[in-house]
Amino acid sequence: MATMLNLNRIKAISLDLDDTLWPVWPTIERAEQTLHDWLALNAPLTAQRYANPRALREVRDALGQQRPELVHDLTTLRRESIRVALASAGEDPQLAEPAFEVFFEARHAVSFFPDALPALEALAARFPLVSLTNGNAEISRVGLGAFFVASVAALQVGVPKPHARIFHVAAEAAGVAPEAVLHVGDDALLDVLGARAAGMQAAWINRDQSPWAHPERPHVEAADLTELVRALT
């Protein structure tokens, strides 16, 4: 449903990745299980100490609280949390490198929402697309590189969404001013309000029909990316 969308302003589109193009938590849970299976073979004491695969996520979260400078860099945070877990179990911390690569490969085994690929094809035919994420998914590793002119991540910029700087970096990567960008994402705070504060138009992909809870509204709300493509025509 379009609200205040100005189609004439849109010269480029930035797109969130996790939970916009694919559901993220099923992917993360599978990757954590894959990591645990690898540890069971290569670091059995660590696998035993952290018998529930989600326990390693708790180590990561605790490390993030101890080292807030890593919160924007999920790659380093995950790798270092594995190193902490290995050391706490009395095993070789250097195994963190290959262990993380096992996790990272599985983290990219995403299952796209059915509307994602057709929508990307339609949008990329009309606008330069830039991926914009707080996560560590790489568009080339999920097979989407052909659709995007650039990718921008919090770990590269040094600040996460909703900080205005990361949105402005995305606009620069697209070669346009922030006001010429439509940012598309699922998170009301990080994507919609962050983009609006950065001077962009914002599209909210509301797949579960959640109520909007903020005074400032998205410029357009859509149940999925197919509906968004229709709103842009």
Side-chain angles (χ1 to χ4, degrees):
M1 179 182 65
T3 54
M4 304 166 286
L5 189 65
N6 184 339
L7 294 174
N8 293 327
R9 280 177 52 190
I10 303 171
K11 306 300 180 187
I13 291 177
S14 59
L15 279 143
D16 175 55
L17 298 178
D18 291 325
D19 284 332
T20 297
L21 299 182
W22 57 77
V24 65
W25 284 112
T27 304
I28 296 299
E29 288 173 356
R30 287 193 299 269
E32 288 173 338
Q33 183 62 57
T34 300
L35 170 60
H36 188 270
D37 293 345
W38 186 91
L39 290 171
L41 292 174
N42 297 276
L45 296 179
T46 304
Q48 184 177 10
R49 185 181 180 93
Y50 301 95
N52 184 334
R54 295 188 183 186
L56 288 173
R57 192 190 310 167
E58 295 174 1
V59 176
R60 185 205 65 176
D61 293 343
L63 184 62
Q65 292 180 349
Q66 297 168 15
R67 299 184 60 185
E69 75 277 9
L70 294 181
V71 171
H72 70 279
D73 185 349
L74 297 184
T75 292
T76 300
L77 187 59
R78 177 72 70 166
R79 183 189 296 111
E80 292 309 302
S81 69
I82 297 171
R83 198 183 309 277
V84 168
L86 287 162
S88 72
E91 294 187 301
D92 186 358
Q94 293 187 16
L95 289 172
E97 295 293 338
F100 173 77
E101 287 305 319
V102 167
F103 170 86
F104 202 45
E105 181 177 359
R107 188 260 185 272
H108 285 90
V110 301
S111 297
F112 297 108
F113 289 118
D115 53 289
L117 297 181
L120 286 173
E121 185 173 2
L123 294 173
R126 298 177 55 201
F127 305 100
L129 305 184
V130 176
S131 67
L132 178 54
T133 181
N134 282 357
N136 56 3
E138 298 175 4
I139 55 173
S140 60
R141 292 184 71 153
V142 296
L144 299 181
F147 294 115
F148 291 89
V149 300
S151 60
V152 174
L155 61 90
Q156 301 162 336
V157 179
V159 294
K161 295 178 294 182
H163 197 289
R165 179 150 60 95
I166 192 169
F167 290 97
H168 293 165
V169 170
E172 291 172 8
V176 300
E179 58 267 24
V181 177
L182 173 67
H183 178 68
V184 179
D186 69 287
D187 192 284
L189 173 63
L190 302 182
D191 291 306
V192 176
L193 299 184
R196 287 195 56 125
M200 296 178 174
Q201 294 191 86
W204 185 34
I205 305 303
N206 183 15
R207 293 183 182 275
D208 56 5
Q209 299 301 293
S210 298
W212 182 258
H214 306 277
E216 276 194 305
R217 295 195 59 83
H219 294 85
V220 61
E221 177 183 339
D224 57 27
L225 293 169
T226 301
E227 189 173 309
L228 176 66
V229 171
R230 286 199 296 266
L232 296 180
T233 57

